[in-house]
């Protein structure tokens, strides 16, 4: 883990920066965040991204700030405001990929212009020698909305001249810039103008300047730009030359000259669906306009981190959150290099989704993960396991889905490999076959059989990836590989066992563990590490982005990093996770990636307590809404009912036309995204407009149906009241267990967001600031419903963490055994400082009874939340009194003098 010198924040506050929330806006928020009690702003990526980016993950230059967020002076003013309010800054950093496409990434465009000769060709993870001969030495650019010939004939591809830069490029739809090789400029310039003819000849002979062709080309481009600026005849001649590459709309033969020019470039522009089969560069998952980086190359590492390290050295940045760590070829080396090269010690967390039983590797020297596992732990703690069986029966009856989550997950992973990520699997199989042919003992293993076996192995993975590196596979990696291979051998009927034996020897690097193996160590190691970069995206796309939208039994459990096959977590599991957690690990309950906001999940957890009532309600609702001529799939309808319950705005009624219209817009967007991600009746690549219209009509009809709303709203109000208690308990536990609490923007109040972009909606800061002014007063039961209690608890507990930083930062965590399964209790202890936390789950069961046992009685305890002081009895503190108004309490010893003053 991180060194003792690594600074651990007290608490972070995530801000989503974009053109609508800029550096200036973040700076203006600093006083509020300081009053709330966080120690650091945790900012979304603010390095230069593609224009219009709403999230910042499509970075086009790591060495510049995003101009859409403000100027460098605006950035400086933001940091001055943060420092003036005692706040540090942590950056969400993206080392795995860059935004490509468009015309914004100079490094990608240089590679398209010069191919393998580009100074930046080694930055991107491109296979320049794919099996497809038409891609030899080329990069596939899958940006076309139709087949290449159709787009060409319709004029969607156009040759243009940039007068200021003296450059030619083909533009797709006027958006995507595809540079022309400078050696081909002569084909465009022609010989009609004497000076242009001279330049055309010079461009055609760039090879004579090898290895300085690029420098010579820059000189010639400058000459061309200067000539055009001062010579109207030259400009007209170039326009005429460009015009010769245009044709007639609808006549593909008339575009033959442009087609020949395109064919000779270092890129091949294609229909976007061709990416599934022909893509020859590593992407972020299956997103073709996010190209993978080879950050393991030290030159690229130094470039990508130059500005970040400068900000760290100057004290502006004190920490980094590393996005998609599993996408890197060698995550451990990356983290160690960060620690080594960062000019100051930093707080370092990694976005890592942990599989069942998986732990973050300690030798990475990270302070922890970004908290997906904590969010899921909290949700399952609120779920009553007694509700699992009736919820499962309701789901089977209503949706007719009989399969469990494991079967659906396998189906979805296989579908991703067969469709959206088939090309990457093909490439892996080709490399495995090439290695096999290098040794007589394995020379008969064909690419086809190896691809079939690899497909089964990937489908059998329970974790995102292994971490085999130059040192080989450790015991954890071997255990995961053996588990995946055991599954693959069972499911891969007809594949000879020897094929799996061979692949295991490659993926574990056992094939080269001894000298004289007959295999290249470098080839085997590279294959194993490239395989590891494939399993994570298949898991993410197959599970998070597909299976989680098909398996709608109980969607509160369908969260990033979640395991929805089993509902509920015992108090014992909760304590065990807290005891094992590193002090610096983020405690996230909502993030920019969560599919439902934390308080939406807290509401939905109530359904596990009232499953029979929910079943009756679903039957009534569908009896009202199911009379339409055309209905969506019952599985999608079941999702819709849950989302309605989880996100229904407080106070919304059938008479509020404006409120219903705004809510319907959100529901329509979230449901459309859900069914497209599920890829059953429609999808993103080929939307089924008829099905989507049926879905839209159903949602609109439901929210306009007076009979439905008359039944739904009272039921939802009951859920909302109980869910508010869950939300309060979740917040109290988050700020008192081991770890570093992170607040997603606005979620100090109630957060009923749906999947992005819904969770990036503007936040009502004014409401939160006004409620924060009340933080000095005790919290009352009346504060639960509108989120005031949650916000005040956040502020009070952050103040307690400020007063006792070591108690919550590194203090002991001691579970307190309770007789009632509803109750969660523990103490924190560090030196003379202590605190006792007790909370009640399953709010439908009503008031709790019993006693909170105390190992050492103090005369009086004060509840930080309610403000009350309580004197323990002989056996402890009466829980009926302690939790009479609020479902959680945080007790701290009161000094005798303070107790006497209170009693007097």
């Amino acid at each position: 883990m991180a060194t003792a010198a690594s600074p651990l924040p007290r608490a972070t506050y995530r801000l989503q920066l974009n053109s609508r929330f800029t550096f200036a806006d973040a700076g203006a928020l600093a006083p509020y965040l300081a009053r709330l009690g966080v120690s650091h702003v945790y900012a979304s990526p603010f390095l230069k991204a593609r224009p219009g980016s709403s999230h910042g993950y499509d970075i086009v230059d790591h060495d510049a700030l995003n101009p859409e967020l403000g100027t460098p002076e605006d950035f400086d003013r933001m940091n001055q405001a943060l420092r003036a309010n005692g706040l540090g800054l942590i950056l969400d950093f993206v080392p795995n990929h860059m935004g490509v496409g468009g015309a914004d990434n100079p490094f990608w465009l240089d590679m398209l212009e010069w191919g393998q000769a580009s100074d930046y060709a080694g930055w991107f993870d491109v296979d320049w020698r794919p099996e497809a001969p038409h891609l030899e030495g080329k990069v596939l650019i899958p940006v076309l909305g139709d087949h290449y010939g159709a787009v060409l004939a319709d004029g969607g591809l156009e040759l243009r001249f940039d007068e200021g830069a003296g450059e030619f490029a083909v533009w797709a739809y006027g958006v995507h810039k595809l540079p022309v090789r400078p050696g081909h400029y002569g084909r465009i310039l022609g010989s009609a103008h004497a000076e242009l003819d001279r330049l055309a000849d010079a461009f055609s002979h760039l090879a004579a300047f090898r290895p300085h062709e690029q420098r010579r080309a820059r000189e010639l481009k400058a000459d061309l730009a200067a000539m055009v600026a001062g010579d109207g005849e030259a400009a007209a001649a170039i326009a005429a030359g460009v015009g010769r590459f245009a044709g007639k709309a609808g006549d593909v033969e008339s575009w033959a000259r442009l087609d020949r020019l395109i064919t000779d470039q270092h890129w091949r522009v294609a229909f976007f669906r061709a990416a599934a089969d022909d893509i020859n560069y590593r992407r972020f998952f299956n997103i073709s306009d996010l190209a993978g980086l080879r950050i393991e190359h030290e030159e690229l590492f130094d470039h990508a981190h130059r500005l970040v390290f400068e900000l760290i050295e100057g004290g502006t940045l004190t920490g980094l959150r590393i996005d998609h760590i599993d996408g890197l070829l060698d995550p451990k080396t990356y983290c160690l290099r960060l620690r080594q090269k960062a000019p100051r010690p930093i707080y370092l967390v990694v976005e890592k989704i942990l599989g069942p039983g998986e732990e973050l590797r300690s030798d990475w020297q990270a302070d922890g993960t970004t908290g997906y596992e904590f969010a899921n732990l909290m949700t399952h703690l609120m779920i009553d396991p007694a509700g699992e069986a009736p919820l499962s029966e309701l789901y089977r009856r209503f949706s007719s889905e009989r399969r469990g989550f494991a079967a659906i997950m396998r189906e979805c992973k296989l579908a991703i490999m067969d469709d959206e990520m088939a090309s990457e699997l093909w490439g892996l199989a080709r490399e495995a076959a090439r290695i096999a042919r290098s040794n007589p003992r394995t020379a008969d293993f064909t690419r086809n059989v190896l691809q079939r076996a690899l497909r089964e192995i990937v489908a059998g993975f329970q974790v995102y990836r292994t971490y085999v590196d130059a040192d080989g596979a450790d015991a954890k990696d071997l255990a995961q590989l053996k588990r995946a291979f055991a599954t693959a051998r069972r499911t891969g009927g007809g594949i000879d066992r020897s094929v799996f034996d061979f692949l295991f020897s490659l993926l574990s690097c056992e094939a080269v563990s001894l000298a004289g193996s007959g295999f290249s160590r470098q080839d085997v190691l590279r294959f194993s590490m490239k395989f590891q970069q494939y399993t994570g995206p298949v898991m993410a796309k197959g599970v998070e982005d597909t299976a989680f939208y098909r398996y709608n039994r109980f969607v509160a459990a369908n969260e990033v990093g979640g395991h929805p096959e089993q509902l509920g977590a015992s108090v014992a599991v909760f304590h065990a996770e807290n005891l094992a957690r590193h002090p610096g690990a983020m405690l996230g309950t909502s993030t920019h990636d969560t599919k439902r906001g934390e308080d939406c999940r807290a509401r939905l957890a109530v359904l596990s307590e009232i499953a029979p009532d929910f079943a009756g309600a679903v039957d009534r609702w569908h009896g009202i809404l199911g009379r339409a001529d055309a209905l969506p799939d019952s599985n999608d309808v079941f999702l819709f009912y849950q989302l309605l319950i989880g996100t229904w705005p407080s106070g919304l009624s059938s008479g509020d036309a404006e409120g219903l219209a705004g809510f319907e817009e959100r529901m329509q967007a979230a449901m459309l995204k859900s069914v497209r991600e599920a890829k059953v009746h429609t999808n993103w690549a080929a939307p089924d407009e008829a099905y989507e219209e049926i879905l839209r009509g159903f949602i609109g009809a439901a929210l306009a149906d007076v009979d439905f709303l008359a039944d739904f709203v009272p039921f939802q109000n009951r859920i909302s009241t109980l869910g508010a208690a869950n939300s309060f308990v979740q917040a109290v536990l988050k700020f008192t267990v081991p770890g570093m609490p992170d607040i997603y923007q606005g979620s100090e109040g109630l957060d009923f967001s749906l999947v992005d972009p819904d969770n990036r909606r503007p936040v009502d800061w004014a409401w939160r600031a006004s409620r924060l002014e009340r933080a000095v007063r005790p919290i009352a039961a009346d504060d639960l419903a509108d989120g005031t209690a949650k916000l005040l608890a956040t502020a009070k507990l952050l103040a307690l963490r400020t007063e006792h930083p070591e108690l919550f930062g590194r203090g002991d965590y001691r579970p307190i055994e309770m007789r009632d399964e509803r109750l969660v209790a523990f103490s924190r202890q560090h030196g003379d400082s202590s605190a006792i936390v007790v909370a009640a789950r399953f709010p439908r069961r009503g008031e709790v009874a019993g006693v909170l046992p105390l190992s050492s009685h103090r005369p009086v305890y004060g509840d930080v939340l309610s403000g009350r002081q309580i004197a323990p009895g002989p056996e402890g503190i009466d829980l009926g009194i302690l939790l009479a108004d609020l479902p959680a309490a945080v007790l701290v010893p009161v000094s005798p003098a303070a107790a006497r003053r209170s009693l007097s």
Side-chain angles (χ1 to χ4, degrees):
M1 289 296 175
T3 65
S6 299
L8 297 182
R10 180 173 65 252
T12 53
Y13 195 96
R14 169 74 177 207
L15 288 178
Q16 292 292 118
L17 300 171
N18 51 53
S19 59
R20 298 180 304 280
F21 190 85
T22 64
F23 294 140
D25 297 314
L29 200 62
Y32 164 76
L33 298 180
R35 290 198 304 273
L36 184 64
V38 300
S39 61
H40 289 71
V41 163
Y42 156 36
S44 63
F46 54 62
L47 303 181
K48 187 177 181 180
R50 289 189 63 185
S53 175
S54 63
H55 46 73
Y57 288 95
D58 44 1
I59 289 173
V60 296
D61 189 353
H62 289 85
D63 204 30
L65 297 172
N66 189 345
E68 293 192 348
L69 307 182
T71 64
E73 292 74 23
D74 293 328
F75 180 72
D76 290 341
R77 283 190 287 271
M78 177 192 76
N79 285 294
Q80 290 168 9
L82 295 180
R83 284 193 295 270
N85 286 276
L87 298 171
L89 181 64
I90 293 168
L91 171 65
D92 190 345
F93 184 74
V94 188
N96 174 67
H97 55 267
M98 292 186 81
V100 297
D104 312 299
N105 189 321
F107 314 105
W108 179 258
L109 293 175
D110 190 88
M111 184 185 70
L112 297 186
E113 183 177 12
W114 293 98
Q116 297 175 75
S118 168
D119 291 340
Y120 310 110
W123 287 19
F124 300 97
D125 207 345
V126 178
D127 180 2
W128 293 100
R129 301 186 64 185
E131 193 162 300
H134 60 283
L135 284 173
E136 179 78 21
K138 296 178 183 289
V139 181
L140 185 75
I141 308 297
V143 297
L144 302 182
D146 200 346
H147 294 283
Y148 167 74
V151 177
L152 180 70
D154 287 344
L157 295 167
E158 180 187 11
L159 179 65
R160 292 182 181 180
F161 176 61
D162 183 337
E163 296 183 358
E167 295 179 338
F168 293 98
V170 174
W171 286 76
Y173 307 119
V175 173
H176 302 284
K177 181 181 179 181
L178 303 169
V180 172
R181 296 168 65 171
H184 295 170
Y185 279 18
R187 296 162 63 172
I188 306 168
L189 294 173
S191 57
H193 185 284
E195 288 301 309
L196 289 179
D197 183 43
R198 180 185 64 79
L199 281 176
D201 184 62
F203 276 114
S204 300
H205 288 80
L206 283 173
F209 288 82
R210 187 169 297 154
H212 305 296
E213 298 103 318
Q214 295 176 48
R215 184 184 68 190
R216 176 58 174 163
R218 287 192 294 270
E219 294 169 352
L220 294 176
K221 288 178 184 179
D223 290 345
L224 183 58
M227 181 186 301
V228 171
D231 186 340
E233 290 185 4
I238 290 177
V242 169
R244 288 195 297 271
F245 288 82
K248 298 177 182 178
D251 181 5
V252 71
E253 297 299 328
S254 67
W255 297 88
R257 190 189 300 268
L258 180 60
D259 178 43
R260 288 193 296 272
L261 181 68
I262 289 173
T263 300
D264 292 339
Q265 301 311 306
H266 292 299
W267 40 265
R268 177 179 180 264
V269 65
F271 189 20
F272 75 89
R273 292 185 186 174
D277 294 324
D278 280 354
I279 199 76
N280 63 330
Y281 60 90
R282 183 173 61 85
R283 302 171 288 175
F284 174 70
F285 299 162
N286 63 341
I287 304 174
S288 296
D289 58 5
L290 295 177
L293 291 175
R294 302 176 71 186
I295 203 71
E296 64 272 14
H297 289 270
E298 198 156 4
E299 175 193 356
L300 174 56
F301 179 96
D302 290 342
H303 168 86
H305 294 80
R306 191 202 66 79
L307 177 57
V308 164
F309 285 166
E310 181 181 293
L311 295 174
I312 291 172
E313 186 171 26
T316 296
L317 279 181
T318 58
L320 295 174
R321 178 260 198 196
I322 304 303
D323 180 66
H324 191 46
I325 191 74
D326 275 346
L328 306 187
L329 186 72
D330 188 351
K332 180 177 75 172
T333 296
Y334 174 80
C335 289
L336 296 180
R337 187 172 286 169
L338 262 183
R339 288 291 191 199
Q340 175 191 5
K341 291 202 168 190
R344 292 187 179 189
I346 59 170
Y347 172 65
L348 179 65
V349 288
V350 295
E351 186 204 24
K352 163 65 186 164
I353 295 173
L354 299 172
E358 186 182 14
E359 297 178 351
L360 181 64
R361 304 294 174 108
S362 60
D363 56 359
W364 291 9
Q365 294 189 14
D367 288 299
T369 68
T370 51
Y372 295 138
E373 64 276 8
F374 180 74
N376 284 285
L377 175 66
M378 289 305 309
T379 296
H380 281 275
L381 184 70
M382 294 182 287
I383 295 172
D384 187 345
E388 180 172 3
L391 285 171
S392 297
E393 175 56 31
L394 170 62
Y395 181 54
R396 284 192 295 268
R397 175 171 62 80
F398 190 85
S399 71
S400 301
E401 178 60 79
R402 296 288 186 267
R403 297 172 301 168
F405 180 72
I408 294 174
M409 177 174 68
R410 171 179 163 77
E411 170 189 78
C412 294
K413 291 173 70 175
L414 291 173
I416 290 296
M417 288 187 280
D418 292 342
D419 184 13
E420 299 172 47
M421 300 192 70
S423 180
E424 290 89 344
L425 183 62
W426 174 287
L428 285 171
R430 186 196 66 185
E431 288 305 306
R434 188 174 63 81
I435 295 172
R437 289 193 298 270
S438 71
N439 192 311
R441 294 190 298 272
T442 56
D444 289 339
F445 292 144
T446 65
R447 187 205 54 76
N448 180 58
V449 72
L450 290 168
Q451 180 167 329
R452 289 168 53 207
L454 284 167
R455 178 177 178 269
E456 295 297 331
I457 294 163
V458 175
F461 259 71
Q462 295 185 5
V463 295
Y464 275 63
R465 62 169 286 176
T466 48
Y467 301 95
V468 178
D469 57 18
D471 296 327
D474 64 13
K476 295 176 182 177
D477 292 325
L478 288 173
Q480 295 294 350
L481 285 171
K482 289 176 180 177
R483 188 176 293 113
F485 271 80
T487 301
R489 287 187 168 102
R490 289 195 304 271
T491 58
I495 301 175
D496 191 84
R497 182 180 183 86
S498 62
V499 177
F500 288 112
D501 292 341
F502 168 65
L503 287 172
F504 185 88
S505 73
L506 297 187
L507 295 178
S508 65
C509 288
E510 289 181 358
V512 291
S513 59
L514 298 175
S517 67
F519 297 108
S520 161
R521 176 175 177 78
Q522 291 302 313
D523 286 346
V524 170
L525 179 61
R526 176 168 175 78
F527 172 77
S528 177
M529 296 179 78
K530 294 297 289 183
F531 172 85
Q532 294 173 147
Q533 288 182 294
Y534 181 68
T535 57
V538 170
M539 180 75 85
K541 295 304 297 180
V543 180
E544 293 173 34
D545 292 345
T546 307
F548 278 2
Y549 291 99
R550 291 188 186 181
Y551 184 69
N552 293 326
R553 176 182 68 163
F554 189 71
V555 297
N558 294 13
E559 200 47 81
V560 178
H563 311 293
E565 59 272 25
Q566 183 175 348
L567 300 181
S570 68
V571 174
V573 167
F574 176 74
H575 287 318
E577 293 290 327
N578 292 332
L579 285 166
R581 188 178 303 114
H582 187 270
M586 272 189 169
L587 303 176
T589 40
S590 290
T591 75
H592 61 284
D593 282 326
T594 42
K595 300 184 184 301
R596 260 73 62 175
E598 61 193 61
D599 300 302
C600 173
R601 301 195 307 272
R603 269 188 189 174
L604 289 173
V606 175
L607 296 179
S608 66
E609 297 189 70
I610 59 167
D613 295 351
F614 179 48
V618 167
D619 289 339
R620 293 194 306 274
W621 301 339
H622 213 54
I624 298 170
L625 301 177
R627 297 189 292 260
D629 294 334
L631 292 172
D633 186 291
S634 56
N635 192 39
D636 296 335
V637 173
F638 199 68
L639 169 65
F640 172 68
Y641 290 148
Q642 292 180 72
L643 295 189
L644 276 185
I645 291 169
T647 61
W648 188 264
S650 177
L652 182 61
S653 68
S654 58
D656 184 355
E658 183 178 354
L660 282 171
F663 181 64
E664 180 185 340
E665 183 178 353
R666 293 177 55 208
M667 288 297 300
Q668 292 279 10
M671 284 297 300
L672 179 63
K673 179 168 184 174
S674 297
V675 297
R676 285 185 176 178
E677 294 283 20
K679 307 173 190 69
V680 175
H681 299 289
T682 185
N683 56 61
W684 293 106
D688 185 325
E689 295 182 5
Y691 184 80
E692 292 180 0
E693 183 57 36
I694 290 172
L695 181 67
R696 282 191 291 269
F698 178 80
I699 295 170
L703 295 177
D705 193 301
V706 175
D707 293 336
F708 167 70
L709 293 177
D711 191 293
F712 171 79
V713 172
F715 181 87
Q716 197 283 331
N717 286 341
R718 177 187 173 200
I719 297 293
S720 181
T721 298
L722 297 172
N726 278 341
S727 293
F728 186 75
V729 167
Q730 179 174 237
V732 170
L733 295 178
K734 171 178 174 174
F735 290 103
T736 52
V737 299
M740 195 285 297
D742 172 53
I743 304 169
Y744 183 73
Q745 60 178 30
S747 64
E748 66 273 28
L750 294 177
D751 173 23
F752 299 115
S753 294
L754 293 160
V755 68
D756 72 281
D758 191 71
N759 60 11
R760 298 192 184 109
R761 288 174 298 136
V763 174
D764 187 348
W765 306 112
W767 182 91
R768 285 159 176 77
S770 67
R771 292 301 190 275
L772 187 58
E773 296 300 326
R774 310 178 188 179
V776 294
R777 70 164 174 81
I779 303 172
D782 291 343
D783 295 323
L784 288 170
D786 68 349
T788 298
K790 182 185 178 188
L791 189 147
L792 297 183
T794 298
K796 289 177 181 294
L797 294 175
L798 285 175
L800 186 64
R801 292 180 75 100
T802 303
E803 186 178 353
H804 302 282
E806 291 299 311
L807 174 64
F808 292 100
R810 302 187 185 275
D812 290 343
Y813 177 89
R814 300 175 183 177
I816 298 175
E817 186 174 349
M818 306 296 291
R819 294 179 181 179
D820 188 340
E821 65 174 351
R822 294 182 59 196
L823 295 168
V824 181
F826 56 88
S827 68
R828 302 300 305 273
Q829 186 74 45
H830 187 274
D832 294 333
S833 298
S834 65
I836 298 170
V837 180
V838 60
R841 53 185 189 151
F842 312 151
R844 179 184 176 269
R845 300 189 193 180
E847 296 180 359
V848 297
V851 174
L852 174 65
L854 300 175
S855 58
S856 59
H857 286 197
R858 300 293 183 100
V860 178
Y861 287 87
D863 178 11
V864 174
L865 305 174
S866 69
R868 293 188 301 165
Q869 293 191 356
I870 300 174
E875 297 181 2
I877 293 178
D878 187 320
L879 290 169
I881 297 174
L882 180 63
L883 302 180
D885 297 322
L886 298 174
V890 178
L891 305 175
V892 294
V894 177
S895 69
R900 285 193 297 271
R901 286 196 300 271
S902 174
L903 293 173
S904 63

